[in-house]
């Protein structure tokens, strides 16, 4: 098949024109634009003729052009001085030999999968056509990216030839064994494109920088003043690499990436949000696979290893710990000598005594022989989860192929962290690892489903998958934990390399059986394929791959068998099969986008200038209305509760009768990211959910009574009666931890309810002192209508003690406005955060205290909510309980209490004066 390209994608043309127009006004080079150099690289009239690029445009014009482009594209203008651009991350643009050695740097930011390589290759042709420039060098940070660039040069050659009247062109990779390449690059009078890895010329000992009988290759390059293009420049930001790039003596340096580390005179930006919402890349669907209700075995997730001092280290470990609030998944610090059974309060961690923290191997070693690496989740269902991930990826693959038919070939990509899990290399050759075996078993299972009859018919499991793994200089496979085995590259590996890395068209041909690709790290950047529809990450240890790297391999829109792009939103979905929740996946992805692009999700960035100090008006505190109001509400109380334990046992048993105790299982959820929004974050919808019973494992029975007592503070006698009456003893063997959790939660719910119903308040004789207002310094951001919160200016300063009032909702803002507008309101306070009432369910801070003149003066407290019905489901159980308890408190101190209410009218009605017109 032959890939076809659409030359009329406006966003690509905008990126191309942004670069071309920087040099608007530059006359085209004539055929005699030459430079002369001798064997020492010095300019002379006698020596070698180098056909180079020339730049005669005045620096002031380049600056003006740049600013026009930036203004057009909505980008902040670069700062300038008399020498050129003055931003800290730019280089001077004075047009001289000296400044040309530094080069003019311009950045183009394009999201992965939107045709970045196509854009800069076409920009080369545009610059050649407009200005006659012929010498271009593409610098890449890795072999994988180099291979991708070469492939793109090959498959676009005919396309660009037709667009640009078939210019005579050569492209090639710099080969240190062919030093004559540099002379040919310099002397040829045709369009020359050299692709070179940064490490091929960054060091003094590189052939590029060494003198020979034929001169120094670098000097031939320098004489041409090439246009230098950096692919993924964030990987070339060290001083050594930047100096190497400057040594090429570039006319200008164009920097292309989706994830720039630094922006140099940014000309064009296509953010991931723009690309996603404009349909320029595939939609992302997360198919998460996780264990649920599997708390009967030790769970360990080593997040990081850190040093407290030169001699003392600790590990941050995620564990399931038991405390008074129940079983909590939390992060703890573990030092050598720590016992996880003690730190978690759970007997399932018996034997997990930290022997050592190994920074060299990034792991924690335990006394029971367990070794857990950074990023590794150690849990009993780990293999089951990976098997399920593989099966789901295959199933999603078959389903997508069935829907697309034979017109589009579907590919799936697996990222693994240990090569040996897929392929083991020995002195006797290579053999299948466990992932390969599990794949073939799952493939046979999925392929036999009746609904997939005829899909990929005749393709055997053994021929549809293969792997490509980067090799180190010794020929051994790179792997962070698995480099000691014997063996190395095989003939089959070379075949896979050529197919996966070089022959994109054959890989996309339906006649080629390969559909499932396994890779370690080689395909994380610089490689992509438009027809990757599934990406599955199988991690046993730490994954250093970022989410944007991961999904970037499959974001490009697919092509059909005729090489044409497919624009169908119903099938252009990249499914990421992950052993983490959608929430965890999306959080990491959003964080990376925020860090790498400056886009912030889930709410606006606050404007520092809108931060407002809320001032206390001391003079208003002398107002008799305020003093009378405060004297009414200032009293503190204490409470006692009486709980009928027989009633508690009965009600808890009744609740537990509705609970189903189930075996641990694996749950999988599909969540589609419909759109990305910089204000509200990712807009998503769930597209599928399934659960599967986990394998039966040995069940360890903990001390139920002790664990439940720790969470509820009830006596063991009461707990025993609850378990007995609810029939829970028969359920323990199914899932003991669920029995503990469900029972403890039910006891606490009922205990809380009965405590609130039986609460009795009494005055303590203590009270809140008015001087606390003077010591309370408040700050808040000005009211934001979109966020419906913030500080609102007080219009009638005679009515309250503050000049601004901080509100948390539109209901509160409207209530405040009613207090301001109503002439019968003599005084009001938004009660400060330190004014709290003790309740059986926690401390409670009421909203408002009001002095109102009707037929007589009324002092009351009000709680504003979005509902005026205490039984409304919009109120949480905790909110209802606090309001119920607060009624008893205010009754004890003889203050009317209106709660919950939406408006001042409702509050007045509730306290007995419903005739007042508000």
């Amino acid at each position: 098949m032959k890939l076809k390209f659409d030359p009329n994608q406006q966003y690509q043309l905008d990126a191309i024109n942004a670069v071309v127009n920087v040099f608007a006004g530059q006359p085209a080079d004539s055929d005699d634009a030459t430079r002369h150099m001798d064997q020492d690289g010095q300019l002379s009239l006698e020596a070698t003729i180098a056909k180079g690029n020339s730049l005669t445009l005045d620096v002031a014009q380049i600056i003006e052009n740049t600013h026009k482009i930036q203004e057009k594209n909505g980008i902040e203008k670069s700062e300038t001085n008399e020498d050129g651009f003055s931003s800290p991350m730019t280089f001077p643009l004075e047009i001289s030999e000296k400044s040309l050695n530094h080069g003019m740097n311009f950045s183009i930011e394009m999201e992965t999968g939107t045709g970045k390589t196509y854009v800069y290759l076409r920009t080369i042709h545009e610059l050649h056509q407009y200005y006659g420039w012929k010498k271009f060098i593409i610098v890449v940070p890795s072999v994988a990216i180099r291979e991708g660039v070469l492939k793109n040069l090959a498959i676009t050659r005919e396309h660009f030839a037709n667009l640009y009247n078939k210019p005579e062109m050569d492209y090639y990779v710099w080969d240190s064994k062919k030093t004559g390449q540099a002379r040919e690059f310099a002397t040829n009078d045709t369009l020359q494109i050299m692709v070179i890895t940064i490490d091929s010329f960054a060091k003094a000992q590189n052939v590029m920088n060494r003198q020979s009988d034929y001169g120094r290759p670098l000097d031939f390059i320098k004489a041409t003043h090439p246009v230098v293009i950096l692919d993924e420049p964030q990987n070339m930001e060290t001083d050594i690499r930047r100096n190497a790039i400057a040594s090429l003596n570039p006319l200008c340096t164009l920097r292309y990436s989706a994830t720039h580390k630094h922006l140099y005179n940014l000309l064009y930006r296509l953010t991931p949000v723009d690309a996603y919402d404009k349909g320029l890349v595939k939609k992302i669907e997360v198919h998460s696979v996780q264990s649920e209700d599997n708390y009967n075995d030790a769970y360990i997730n080593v997040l990081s290893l850190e040093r407290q001092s030169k001699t003392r280290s600790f590990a941050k470990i995620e564990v399931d710990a038991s405390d008074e609030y129940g079983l909590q998944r939390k992060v703890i610090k573990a030092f050598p000598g720590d016992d996880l059974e003690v730190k978690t309060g759970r007997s399932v961690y018996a034997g997990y005594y930290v022997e050592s923290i190994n920074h060299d191997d990034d792991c924690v070693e335990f006394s029971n022989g367990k070794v857990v690496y950074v990023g590794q989740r150690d849990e009993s269902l780990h293999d089951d989860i990976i098997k399920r991930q593989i099966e789901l990826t295959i199933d999603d693959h078959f389903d997508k192929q069935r829907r697309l038919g034979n017109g589009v070939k579907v590919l799936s990509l697996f990222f693994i962290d240990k090569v040996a899990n897929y392929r083991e290399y020995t002195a006797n050759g290579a053999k299948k690892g466990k992932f390969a075996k599990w794949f073939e078993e799952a493939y046979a299972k999925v392929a036999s489903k009746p609904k997939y009859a005829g899909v990929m018919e005749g393709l055997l499991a053994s021929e549809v998958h293969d792997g490509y793994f980067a090799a180190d200089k010794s020929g051994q496979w790179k792997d962070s934990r698995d480099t000691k085995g014997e063996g190395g590259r095989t003939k089959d590996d070379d075949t896979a390399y050529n197919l996966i890395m070089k022959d994109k068209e054959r890989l996309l041909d339906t006649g080629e059986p390969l559909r499932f690709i396994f890779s370690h790290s080689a395909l994380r950047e610089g490689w992509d394929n438009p027809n990757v529809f599934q990406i599955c990450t199988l991690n046993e240890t730490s994954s250093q791959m970022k989410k944007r790297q991961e999904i970037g391999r499959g974001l490009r829109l697919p092509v059909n068998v005729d090489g044409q792009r497919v624009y169908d939103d119903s099938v252009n979905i990249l499914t990421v099969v992950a052993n983490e929740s959608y929430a965890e996946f999306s959080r990491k992805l959003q964080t990376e986008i925020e860090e790498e692009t400056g886009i912030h999700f889930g709410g606006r960035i606050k404007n520092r200038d809108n931060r407002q100090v809320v001032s206390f008006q001391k003079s208003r505190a002398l107002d008799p209305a305020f003093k009378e109001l405060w004297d009414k509400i200032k009293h503190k109380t204490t409470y006692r509760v009486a709980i009928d334990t027989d009633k508690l046992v009965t009600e808890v048993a009744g609740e537990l009768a509705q609970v189903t105790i189930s075996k641990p299982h694996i749950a999988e959820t599909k969540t589609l990211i419909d759109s990305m929004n910089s204000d509200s974050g990712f807009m998503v919808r769930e597209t599928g959910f399934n659960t599967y019973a986990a394998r039966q494992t040995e069940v360890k029975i903990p001390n139920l009574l002790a664990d439940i007592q720790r969470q509820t503070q009830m006596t063991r006698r009461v707990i025993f009666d609850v378990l007995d009456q609810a029939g829970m003893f028969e359920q323990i063997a199914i899932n003991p931890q669920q029995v503990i959790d469900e029972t403890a939660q039910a006891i606490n719910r009922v205990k809380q309810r009965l405590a609130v119903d039986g609460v009795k308040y009494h005055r303590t004789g203590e009270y809140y002192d008015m001087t606390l207002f003077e010591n309370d310094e408040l700050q808040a951001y000005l009211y934001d209508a979109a966020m419906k919160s913030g500080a609102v200016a007080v219009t009638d300063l005679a009515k309250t003690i503050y000049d601004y009032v901080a509100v948390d909702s539109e209901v509160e803002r409207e209530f405040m406005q009613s207090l301001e507008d109503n002439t019968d309101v003599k005084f009001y306070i938004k009660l400060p955060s330190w004014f709290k009432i003790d309740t059986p369910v926690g401390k409670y801070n009421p909203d408002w205290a009001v002095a109102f003149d009707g037929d007589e003066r009324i002092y009351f407290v009000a709680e504003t909510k979005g509902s005026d019905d205490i039984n409304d489901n919009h109120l949480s159980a905790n909110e209802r309980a606090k309001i119920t308890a607060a009624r008893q408190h205010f009754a004890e101190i003889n203050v009317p209490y209106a709660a919950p209410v939406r408006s001042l009218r409702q509050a007045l009605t509730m306290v007995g004066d419903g005739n007042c017109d508000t």
Side-chain angles (χ1 to χ4, degrees), residues 287 289 385-401 410-415 439 442-443 446 452 456 515-518 532-538 575-579 668 670:
H287 204 161
V289 185
I385 290 171
I386 288 183
K387 287 179 181 179
R388 188 61 190 162
Q389 283 182 266
I390 293 172
E391 183 178 337
L392 286 174
T393 304
I394 298 169
D395 196 282
D396 286 334
H397 183 112
F398 268 81
D399 183 65
K400 189 64 62 69
Q401 190 66 75
V410 175
L411 298 175
S412 293
L413 179 60
F414 293 88
F415 283 116
F439 173 87
Y443 182 88
V446 173
Y452 296 139
M456 298 198 296
R515 268 121 170 119
F516 300 88
I517 301 168
F518 287 77
V532 171
F533 284 91
Q534 286 74 228
I535 290 177
C536 179
T537 305
L538 304 176
T575 302
V576 180
V577 183
N579 54 5
E668 54 188 63
K670 269 190 177 181

Side-chain angles (χ1 to χ4, degrees), residues 153 328 402 450 467 700 708 719 749 839 881 907 913-914:
L153 279 163
Q328 308 286 328
R402 177 178 59 84
K700 300 174 184 177
I708 297 172
I719 296 168
R749 281 195 304 270
T839 79
D913 190 356

Side-chain angles (χ1 to χ4, degrees), residues 644-697:
D644 184 335
T645 56
D646 290 338
K647 186 176 183 181
L648 181 142
V649 170
T650 301
E651 291 193 14
V652 172
E655 287 197 13
L656 291 177
Q658 309 303 314
V659 172
T660 300
I661 303 299
S662 57
K663 293 180 179 180
H665 59 278
I666 295 173
E668 54 188 63
T669 306
K670 269 190 177 181
T671 308
L672 178 69
I673 303 175
D674 269 331
S675 65
M676 297 183 184
N677 185 283
S678 58
D679 283 334
S680 56
F682 291 179
M683 308 299 290
V684 304
R685 56 188 167 95
E686 188 175 297
T687 56
F689 176 78
N690 286 297
T691 61
Y692 299 87
R695 60 180 179 173
Q696 186 65 39
T697 59

Side-chain angles (χ1 to χ4, degrees), residues 445-684:
K445 178 181 177 182
V446 173
S448 65
K449 292 183 178 182
K451 67 177 180 179
Y452 296 139
V455 179
M456 298 198 296
E457 190 171 11
L459 292 175
L460 301 177
S462 59
E463 61 184 356
V464 296
H465 69 102
D466 209 333
Y468 169 61
F469 313 107
D472 63 21
K473 293 179 180 178
S474 67
Q476 299 295 322
W477 299 109
K478 282 184 179 177
D479 187 304
S480 57
R481 315 241 185 273
D482 193 24
T483 56
K484 296 179 180 178
E486 297 180 358
R489 187 184 299 276
T490 68
K491 183 177 180 181
D492 289 340
D493 291 321
D494 291 332
T495 301
Y497 171 83
N498 289 325
L499 177 58
I500 295 168
M501 295 300 296
K502 294 187 173 183
D503 204 346
K504 183 180 289 189
E505 294 98 325
R506 185 159 70 91
L507 184 57
L508 288 170
D509 193 302
T510 55
E512 167 56 50
L514 179 60
R515 268 121 170 119
F516 300 88
I517 301 168
F518 287 77
S519 179
H520 176 238
S521 59
L523 304 184
R524 67 172 50 184
E525 60 183 17
W527 182 94
D528 59 44
N529 191 292
N531 287 20
V532 171
F533 284 91
Q534 286 74 228
I535 290 177
C536 179
T537 305
L538 304 176
N539 290 329
E540 283 201 320
T541 56
S542 61
S543 173
Q544 299 303 318
M545 185 178 295
K546 290 187 174 182
K547 295 303 174 191
R548 291 190 72 196
Q549 284 181 320
E550 184 179 300
I551 64 174
R553 302 316 102 215
L555 283 179
R556 192 178 296 275
L557 295 179
V559 297
N560 60 22
V561 292
D562 296 321
Q564 300 281 6
R565 292 283 174 200
V566 175
Y567 299 98
D568 184 347
D569 290 341
S570 67
V571 295
N572 286 351
I573 297 172
L574 173 65
T575 302
V576 180
V577 183
N579 54 5
E580 60 188 337
S581 68
Y582 163 74
E584 187 177 356
F585 179 94
S586 62
R587 177 185 58 78
K588 291 176 182 176
L589 179 57
Q590 286 192 14
T591 299
E592 288 174 17
I593 292 174
E594 288 178 346
E595 291 176 348
E596 293 170 354
T597 69
I599 296 170
H600 289 264
F601 292 96
R604 296 181 167 75
I605 302 171
K606 298 290 188 181
N607 186 337
R608 174 62 180 80
D609 294 337
N610 287 340
R611 195 162 71 189
Q612 178 65 44
V613 175
V614 179
S615 299
F616 171 66
Q617 302 181 86
K618 190 172 182 179
S619 62
R620 299 305 307 142
L622 302 176
D623 190 301
F626 170 60
K627 295 181 70 174
E628 290 176 21
L629 175 61
W630 190 249
D631 284 341
K632 288 281 188 181
I633 68 172
K634 68 181 181 180
H635 302 284
K636 293 184 178 182
T637 60
T638 186
Y639 69 86
R640 292 181 179 177
V641 296
I643 296 177
D644 184 335
T645 56
D646 290 338
K647 186 176 183 181
L648 181 142
V649 170
T650 301
E651 291 193 14
V652 172
E655 287 197 13
L656 291 177
Q658 309 303 314
V659 172
T660 300
I661 303 299
S662 57
K663 293 180 179 180
H665 59 278
I666 295 173
E668 54 188 63
T669 306
K670 269 190 177 181
T671 308
L672 178 69
I673 303 175
D674 269 331
S675 65
M676 297 183 184
N677 185 283
S678 58
D679 283 334
S680 56
F682 291 179
M683 308 299 290
V684 304

Side-chain angles (χ1 to χ4, degrees), residues 28 123-133 136 163-165:
T123 300
I124 289 173
H125 286 274
E126 289 281 324
L127 293 174
H128 175 61
Q129 177 175 276
Y130 272 86
Y131 308 121
W133 295 336
F136 296 84
L163 279 179
Y164 295 98
N165 198 27

Side-chain angles (χ1 to χ4, degrees), residues 29-281:
D29 275 356
S30 62
D31 289 338
D32 60 353
T34 63
R35 290 178 180 274
H36 303 273
M37 55 178 288
D38 62 20
Q39 298 293 344
D40 295 324
Q42 301 299 317
L43 296 178
S44 73
L45 296 176
E46 302 84 30
T48 303
I49 296 177
K51 300 287 186 177
N53 303 326
S54 64
L55 179 62
T56 60
L57 197 62
D58 183 78
V59 64
Q61 186 61 55
I62 293 177
I63 291 173
E64 182 180 341
N65 292 343
T66 300
H67 284 171
K68 284 181 180 178
I69 295 162
Q70 290 172 329
E71 183 176 10
K72 176 184 177 182
N73 291 331
I75 295 167
E76 185 178 357
K77 292 181 181 179
S78 299
E79 297 179 5
T80 61
N81 58 26
E82 64 274 12
D83 293 325
F85 295 107
S86 64
S87 170
M89 295 316 303
T90 63
F91 296 113
L93 281 181
E94 182 184 358
I95 304 305
S96 68
E97 286 298 325
K98 182 177 180 181
S99 67
L100 283 173
N101 285 332
H102 293 289
M104 296 179 294
N105 283 252
F106 300 94
S107 297
I108 299 87
E109 183 178 304
M110 295 185 68
E111 173 60 353
T112 301
T114 58
K116 167 174 61 71
T117 308
Y118 175 90
V119 164
Y120 71 64
L121 292 182
R122 185 164 174 182
T123 300
I124 289 173
H125 286 274
E126 289 281 324
L127 293 174
H128 175 61
Q129 177 175 276
Y130 272 86
Y131 308 121
W133 295 336
K134 299 173 183 177
K135 304 304 168 71
F136 296 84
I137 296 181
I138 301 172
V139 183
V140 298
S142 68
V143 172
I145 296 178
R146 184 194 72 190
E147 293 300 324
V149 173
L150 287 174
K151 188 60 194 176
N152 274 280
L153 279 163
I155 62 181
T156 58
R157 182 164 194 158
E158 183 178 343
H159 168 75
F160 289 140
N162 292 332
L163 279 179
Y164 295 98
N165 198 27
K166 298 181 172 60
E168 189 177 349
M169 178 186 78
D170 296 309
Y171 69 85
Y172 39 85
V173 171
W174 163 251
D175 187 342
S176 60
K177 296 177 182 177
K178 300 178 180 178
T179 54
Q181 276 185 337
R183 180 187 291 268
E184 292 172 10
F185 178 86
T187 57
N188 281 340
D189 197 23
T190 58
L191 180 56
Q192 300 287 302
I193 303 174
M194 177 186 289
V195 184
I196 186 169
T197 58
I198 185 69
D199 290 335
S200 297
F201 68 101
K203 299 176 183 178
Q205 61 265 35
N206 291 133
V207 170
M208 174 70 78
N209 300 311
R210 295 206 308 256
Q211 286 286 353
S212 70
D213 293 340
Y214 302 99
R216 189 171 69 137
L218 180 64
D219 292 328
F220 289 100
I221 302 295
K222 289 173 63 175
T224 68
H225 288 323
V227 173
V228 173
I229 293 170
L230 305 185
D231 194 327
E232 307 294 353
Q234 69 275 11
N235 297 320
M236 295 179 268
E237 293 283 8
T238 65
D239 287 342
I240 290 176
R241 291 183 169 192
R242 276 200 276 195
N243 289 335
I245 293 164
S247 75
L248 298 174
N249 196 20
L251 180 148
C252 66
T253 304
L254 308 176
R255 315 166 74 88
Y256 290 81
S257 178
T259 55
H260 289 278
K261 185 177 181 180
H262 300 298
L263 292 172
Y264 302 72
N265 301 319
L266 181 64
L267 299 176
Y268 178 81
R269 164 173 276 173
L270 180 67
T271 71
V273 173
D274 294 334
Y276 200 87
D277 288 344
K278 291 177 181 178
L280 305 179
V281 294

Side-chain angles (χ1 to χ4, degrees), residues 634-638 762-768 892-893:
K634 68 181 181 180
H635 302 284
K636 293 184 178 182
T637 60
T638 186
H762 304 279
R763 292 197 194 201
T764 64
E766 298 177 347
Y767 55 86
Y768 288 103
E892 172 64 16
I893 65 173

